[in-house]
Amino acid sequence: MTRHQKRLSAPNAWPVERKTQTFTVKAGAGPHGEAGVPLLVILRDVLGYADSRKEARYALNQGTVLINGDAVSDEERPVGMFDILAFTEREEYYRVFPDEGGRLALTPIDADAAGSRLGKIVSKQEVAGGATQLTLHDGSNVRVDDAGEYSTKDSLVVGNEDKEIVAHFPYEEGALVTAVDGTHSGEIGTVEEITVTAGSGDNTVIVDGGDATFETIEDYVVVIDENFVEDDEAESADEPDESDDVEDDEADAGGDDE
């Protein structure tokens, strides 16, 4: 398996400039699959808190950078949709949120909101002992006793410290949702109608965004709560600093992956 990642072939969700340099850092193993953005990209290209991989490693070794409440020391650790990124020394907190075109952006939040994260249920199954295991979109699991209360496509808010369910939002008509992929990525609205397509076709959903309605496939929407609407109005820290790439990339002969 190659350790190289060209910028032009990086996933659309990655907030990196495509033509400034040839290579960027390759994501390590972890949650979110191929859509996960390496933490180094967030620290260097988006926030500008490090100029190189070496600086990022030093900062992470201080134990003050948290993802979903856990200290992270691996600069290649994938960061993905709805993750909570905390810088404890700076007292800065961000939620990873989909922007236009499916590109991930950072939305500033307060310390209270950083105590939990949102997860979309993608599957559920019975496990030993009679409990039901819910698998979320990032690959994490939550066990519950009442299987009938939860369905796939519902959303959960999970506490970062105790990993317990804080809130449950069913996927249904009238639910507040955001599109996380496709043409309408980043748009927020209320589910107006859910259309079940016979056969192997994708189910579709019509969302009322207030000023206009849009239609997208069911898999592209995630149920959220009203706090996300307030966060969406805050200034988003999603503009990469192109100058931060140059020195480190040239030192690595056009790549960050060595």
Side-chain angles (χ1 to χ4, degrees):
M1 179 181 297
T2 179
R3 286 183 51 81
H4 296 77
Q5 173 65 64
K6 288 189 174 181
R7 288 174 176 263
L8 285 176
S9 61
N12 291 335
W14 289 27
V16 296
E17 295 297 328
R18 305 289 163 165
K19 298 180 180 180
T20 55
Q21 299 292 327
T22 303
F23 293 101
T24 187
V25 62
K26 184 178 176 67
H32 301 288
E34 295 182 355
V37 181
L39 182 56
L40 175 58
V41 171
I42 301 295
L43 295 176
R44 188 194 58 194
D45 301 326
V46 178
L47 294 172
Y49 289 168
D51 291 330
S52 66
R53 180 191 286 262
K54 182 178 181 180
E55 286 187 8
R57 283 177 176 170
Y58 177 82
L60 294 176
N61 285 336
Q62 308 309 305
T64 60
V65 180
L66 312 181
I67 298 179
N68 301 330
D70 299 322
V72 179
S73 59
D74 181 8
E75 76 277 6
E76 295 183 355
R77 196 271 197 194
V79 181
M81 184 174 65
F82 302 131
D83 277 348
I84 302 297
L85 187 60
F87 299 90
T88 56
E89 283 192 349
R90 292 173 174 266
E91 297 185 349
E92 293 180 4
Y93 307 92
Y94 299 94
R95 177 186 289 115
V96 182
F97 199 73
D99 205 351
E100 294 182 3
R103 187 170 172 144
L104 296 178
L106 300 182
T107 300
I109 56 176
D110 58 31
D112 291 338
S116 59
R117 64 186 177 86
L118 188 80
K120 179 181 180 179
I121 301 175
V122 296
S123 68
K124 70 176 188 175
Q125 59 183 347
E126 187 174 332
V127 295
T132 296
Q133 177 175 282
L134 307 176
T135 301
L136 306 183
H137 70 281
D138 59 0
S140 61
N141 299 308
V142 179
R143 290 195 177 190
V144 296
D145 294 325
D146 187 359
E149 184 179 348
Y150 305 94
S151 301
T152 56
K153 302 182 180 67
D154 289 358
S155 289
L156 303 176
V157 176
V158 180
N160 288 332
E161 287 192 9
D162 56 15
K163 312 303 180 186
E164 296 293 329
I165 296 175
V166 176
H168 170 219
F169 303 106
Y171 172 68
E172 59 190 5
E173 292 183 359
L176 184 67
V177 298
T178 183
V180 298
D181 203 346
T183 305
H184 301 283
S185 180
E187 296 185 30
I188 295 175
T190 304
V191 175
E192 196 172 82
E193 181 181 351
I194 300 173
T195 301
V196 178
T197 303
S200 59
D202 294 317
N203 295 341
T204 60
V205 57
I206 296 177
V207 179
D208 181 3
D211 295 334
T213 61
F214 65 89
E215 182 176 6
T216 186
I217 67 173
E218 194 173 55
D219 289 343
Y220 285 178
V221 297
V222 177
V223 183
I224 58 176
D225 66 14
E226 64 276 3
N227 291 329
F228 281 75
V229 178
E230 298 174 4
D231 294 341
D232 189 55
E233 295 173 353
E235 182 179 358
S236 180
D238 60 349
E239 292 298 326
D241 187 348
E242 298 178 28
S243 62
D244 290 335
D245 296 330
V246 178
E247 182 176 348
D248 191 36
D249 285 343
E250 290 178 350
D252 288 338
D256 303 295
D257 55 324
E258 296 301 326

